[in-house]
Amino acid sequence: MIPQQWTPPCGSQCTHKYAALTQIPWRVFCKKGCDADSDSWEDCVSDCSEICYKDPVLKDRQWSAYIDRSPGAASYSEECFHACVAGCGYKFEVESEEVNKVKPKRPPPPPPKPQPPPRAKRPMQPPSDEDVPTSSA
């Protein structure tokens, strides 16, 4: 058996696409797309969204999103999603142009909390004669 035959073709394509040492995490998520239990391209993309984005584990308890095991930061989640979708594309033999067009179906982030207006500082006034002690040492 030749070494190329030891891994399924989808996994080999992920290894080839994410070959750099710094891309190992994305290779893992690409292979998760290959290994997804989905029966269709659309289901696989949906699975990638679940894998890569933090959602509350307990409904209506936003803090429970930290229990989720997704990558974390928004940019990492997006990279994860694109790597996973690439794996789905390899699995279902979808053209790379279509794979590159896929966007995660995520709700928009909440608007930033309004910042309180800065307090106007009173101008510094030089000390008056009343404020300066007149004793000498």
Side-chain angles (χ1 to χ4, degrees), residues 8-11 13-14 33-34 38-42 44-45 84-100 102:
C10 185
Q13 289 171 311
C14 288
C34 287
S38 311
D39 294 326
S40 70
W41 158 250
E42 292 81 12
C44 192
V45 170
C84 183
V85 167
C88 292
Y90 296 140
K91 177 179 182 176
F92 291 104
E93 298 177 356
V94 175
E95 293 292 324
S96 62
E97 291 82 25
E98 186 175 344
V99 170
N100 293 336
V102 175

Side-chain angles (χ1 to χ4, degrees), residues 2-13:
I2 303 171
Q4 289 86 353
Q5 296 172 331
W6 294 345
T7 60
C10 185
S12 296
Q13 289 171 311

Side-chain angles (χ1 to χ4, degrees), residues 18-90:
Y18 297 100
L21 210 54
T22 58
Q23 294 178 317
I24 288 175
W26 312 132
R27 184 184 322 159
V28 169
F29 288 111
C30 181
K31 290 182 179 185
K32 285 182 184 279
C34 287
D35 297 336
D37 292 333
S38 311
D39 294 326
S40 70
W41 158 250
E42 292 81 12
D43 289 344
C44 192
V45 170
S46 177
D47 288 349
C48 288
S49 190
E50 286 180 25
I51 289 170
C52 294
Y53 287 93
K54 282 187 180 284
D55 288 316
V57 176
L58 305 172
K59 190 175 181 169
D60 300 326
R61 302 280 191 245
Q62 187 60 40
W63 61 266
S64 67
Y66 294 102
I67 298 171
D68 197 337
R69 298 180 69 200
S70 63
S75 61
Y76 287 163
S77 290
E78 193 168 336
E79 282 287 328
C80 166
F81 179 78
H82 290 295
C84 183
V85 167
C88 292
Y90 296 140

